[in-house]
Amino acid sequence: MNLRKLLIGLLSMLIISTISYGLQIEEPEYQPKIIHPGDDVDLWIKIVNDNYENKVKNIVVEVTPHYPFELRQVNPTKGKVIINSLNPGEPYTAYFKLHVNENAPSNDYRIDVKVNYDEVYEDNGKETVVHYNFTKVYYIHIYGTASFEISGNTNLTPAKTEVVPINIKNTGTGTAKEVNVYIGYKLNPTPVGSEIKTVEYPGGITTEEQKNIIYPTVISLTDLPISPVDITKFYLGALKPDSKKTINVKFHVSPNLVEGVYQIPIVVTWTDEDGSKKAEQISLGVYVKGDIILSISNVVTDPKEIKPGDNYVRIDTTITNNGHAEAKDVKLKLITKYPFKDSWSNCNIKDIGNLKPGESKTVSFFVDVNKYAKTEHYQLPIEFSYLDPQDNKHKGIKYIDIYVKSKPLFEILTKEVNVTAGKENKVYIKIKNIGSEKAERVKISVIKNSGQPFDYPIKSDTIGTLYPNQTGVGVISIDVDKSAPTKPYIITLEIRCAGDSDEGDNNVYIYQEPLKVNVISSNGSTIVPILIGTIILVIIIGIYIKFMKNRKNHE
C-alpha cells in the first residue's frame, strides 16, 4: 500500500513537472542589488507570452512576500498587477515595491509570485479559452549589518592602575568580520577619492551615481584623564549577531582627577557581510566615586514670554548632579507665592528618583499668573531633598528667575448706565489701561445677546492708543424695545487691542467685561413727579388734620 502511494506521488510530480505554461516568468530584478534591513526595494517581475501561437488575457500577477518583506507599492490593488492581454511573444514588466524589516538577520528570504491568466486557442475560427495559474518561488538575500554595544563595570580610583573587563557585543543583524577594537582612540574619516557606480534598471536603463570614498582612520589620543596601559588594540575576529567577547583592559587614573563620570573613547572597525568596511566610535563611561552637588539650570517656559493673567504656564528646569556620587530619592518642590499660584493641587511636587554623577533630568512645573502681576523678575524657590549613598538625608533650596513681561490690561470705570425703553440711547463707556504696556488700536464692542431686549445700531467704537494709567471713552448705541421691562440687565463688552509695537509686541489682546444696564420706562419722567407730589400732598393733609384736632382740644 505504501509503495503504491509512493508511485502515485512520483507520477503526479512527473506530470506537474512536464506541464508547459504559455506564460513565462523571468528572474526578478531588484534595486538596490545589495539589500540591507530597513531598505525599500524596487522589484520588477517580467512575464513573457512564450506561446507564439496563442494570445493570453486577463493576466493577474500577484506577489506574496514572506518575512521580512512587506508590500509598499502603489498599484490599484496591493500586491497585484492586472494586465489585459499579451500577444504572442509580447513581454510585460510588473513593478512592486517592498520594504525590509529593520530587524531582519542575514538570510535568503522567500517571495512567491503567482500568475493567473487565460490562454485563447483558435481552431477553425472558434475560440477556446483555458485558464491557467501557477506559482514560482524566489529567494532574495538580505545582508544584515553589524552594530556594537560596549559595556563594563568600571569603578576606578584616582592614582591607581586597575584592570577593567569590557564587553563588546554585536547587537546588529549581520556577522561582523575582522573586528578590531582600539581603546583610547578617536575616529578620523579621511576622504581618499570618489567612484562612479552604474545602476541598471529593467528595459536597459542605466544611471550613474558618484560616491565619495572615505577611509576610516583611527588616531591614538594622549593626555587622557583615564589612560589605557599596555595593550590598546585588540583583534576579535568574527562576531555573529547577539554574540559578545570580553577583553581585559588596564587603565591608569590620574592622581589629580576629581571624582566623577568620564568617557573613554573606543573605536571599533569591522567588515560587514556585503564586504563594506565599517568603523564606529563609541564612548565607555567610567565612574570615579565622589560627593553630590545638585544644580538647577536650563529654565525654559511655555509660553516663552510670560504675561499677567497667563494660566498653566509650564516651567521646565533641568536638575543635574555635578558631583561624584549618586543622589537617591531626589524630590523637588516649587514654592509659589504672589503673583504665582499652583495650576492645580500637588502639580509642583516632583519625585525624580535617583541621579547618578553627571546625570540630568528635566522636570515640569505649572503655575498661574495673577492678572495684576507687575512687570519684573521674580525669584521662585525650589526646595530639594535627597539621600546620599549612606542614606543620610540632605535638604537645600535653589532659586530660578522668572520674568513677567508687560501687557495692556483694562478696567471699565463706567460701572452702570441708564437707558430708556422705546428709544435709541447713546452710552458713553470710560475705560482705563491699568496694565504696564501701551495698548494700540483699542476698540470697544458690545456682544449682542438675543435673549435681551436690545439692539445695537452702533455696536463698537475705536478709542485709539492708551498708555498705562490713561483713560479713554467709547460710545455705543443701545436701542431698547418699547416693551422692555424696567429692570437692570448685564451686557458683555469686548475690549480688543494690539500690544506695544515699539517694544516688539505684535500680539492681539481680547478682554470681556460685564456692564450693568438699567432700563427705565419711557413715561418714567412724568410718573416720578406725580408720585412725589402725591406724597407731599398726603403729608400736608395729615399735618392739617393733626393741627385741627389739637386746636379743638385746646378750646
Side-chain angles (χ1 to χ4, degrees), residues 42-56:
D42 295 312
L43 177 68
W44 293 274
I45 306 294
K46 185 177 181 180
I47 61 174
V48 181
N49 183 0
D50 206 29
N51 190 327
Y52 283 83
E53 295 181 356
N54 300 327
K55 177 181 178 181
V56 295

Side-chain angles (χ1 to χ4, degrees), residues 550-555:
N550 291 335
R551 185 175 179 182
K552 287 180 179 181
N553 291 335
H554 284 299
E555 291 177 353

Side-chain angles (χ1 to χ4, degrees), residues 3-257:
L3 180 61
R4 182 181 178 184
K5 289 182 178 179
L6 178 62
L7 290 173
I8 293 173
L10 292 173
L11 182 60
S12 300
M13 292 175 61
L14 180 62
I15 293 172
I16 293 172
S17 64
T18 57
I19 295 176
S20 177
Y21 294 101
L23 204 61
Q24 300 298 320
I25 304 177
E26 296 186 1
E27 283 292 320
E29 297 185 42
Y30 48 85
Q31 283 290 347
K33 293 296 184 184
I34 298 177
I35 303 173
H36 298 108
D39 283 351
D40 288 326
V41 181
D42 295 312
L43 177 68
W44 293 274
I45 306 294
K46 185 177 181 180
I47 61 174
V48 181
N49 183 0
D50 206 29
N51 190 327
Y52 283 83
E53 295 181 356
N54 300 327
K55 177 181 178 181
V56 295
K57 64 180 182 178
N58 302 328
I59 307 152
V60 180
V61 182
E62 295 183 69
V63 168
T64 304
H66 298 265
Y67 176 86
F69 294 108
E70 61 177 292
L71 284 164
R72 288 269 179 97
Q73 103 283 1
V74 293
N75 290 328
T77 304
K78 191 173 183 180
K80 184 183 293 186
V81 173
I82 299 174
I83 309 158
N84 292 329
S85 64
L86 287 177
N87 294 318
E90 183 180 0
Y92 184 90
T93 301
Y95 170 75
F96 301 88
K97 196 173 190 69
L98 305 175
H99 178 75
V100 184
N101 187 282
E102 286 75 5
N103 299 316
S106 297
N107 209 339
D108 292 321
Y109 292 99
R110 175 177 170 177
I111 291 180
D112 296 346
V113 180
K114 182 180 179 181
V115 177
N116 286 273
Y117 69 96
D118 296 327
E119 188 166 350
V120 181
Y121 296 89
E122 292 188 4
D123 186 12
N124 296 327
K126 182 180 179 182
E127 286 189 354
T128 302
V129 177
V130 179
H131 181 76
Y132 295 94
N133 69 79
F134 62 93
T135 300
K136 282 196 172 183
V137 177
Y138 299 95
Y139 289 88
I140 297 177
H141 189 75
I142 304 298
Y143 293 87
T145 56
S147 181
F148 290 93
E149 177 183 275
I150 295 179
S151 61
N153 184 13
T154 54
N155 290 320
L156 301 179
T157 306
K160 287 189 178 182
T161 300
E162 301 175 64
V163 176
V164 176
I166 297 177
N167 301 316
I168 295 91
K169 182 178 180 181
N170 181 1
T171 59
T173 59
T175 299
K177 298 176 287 185
E178 301 174 353
V179 179
N180 287 279
V181 178
Y182 300 82
I183 308 296
Y185 284 73
K186 74 172 183 178
L187 184 62
N188 185 32
T190 304
V192 295
S194 62
E195 64 178 358
I196 296 178
K197 183 180 179 181
T198 301
V199 180
E200 297 182 359
Y201 296 93
I205 300 173
T206 61
T207 61
E208 292 185 347
E209 297 178 357
Q210 185 170 350
K211 181 180 179 181
N212 294 327
I213 302 175
I214 298 178
Y215 188 78
T217 304
V218 292
I219 300 175
S220 177
L221 298 174
T222 58
D223 299 327
L224 293 173
I226 302 174
S227 303
V229 180
D230 297 335
I231 301 174
T232 60
K233 177 186 175 183
F234 298 83
Y235 179 75
L236 305 185
L239 269 180
K240 294 182 179 180
D242 292 325
S243 64
K244 70 178 180 179
K245 290 186 178 181
T246 301
I247 58 176
N248 293 314
V249 185
K250 190 181 292 184
F251 288 104
H252 176 74
V253 183
S254 170
N256 299 322
L257 192 64

Side-chain angles (χ1 to χ4, degrees), residues 515-528:
L515 177 66
K516 184 178 180 181
V517 177
N518 299 312
V519 175
I520 300 173
S521 175
S522 58
N523 57 356
S525 57
T526 58
I527 292 175
V528 171

Side-chain angles (χ1 to χ4, degrees), residues 435-446:
S436 53
E437 179 180 288
K438 178 179 69 174
E440 299 178 357
R441 302 192 299 276
V442 181
K443 183 179 180 181
I444 188 169
S445 304
V446 62

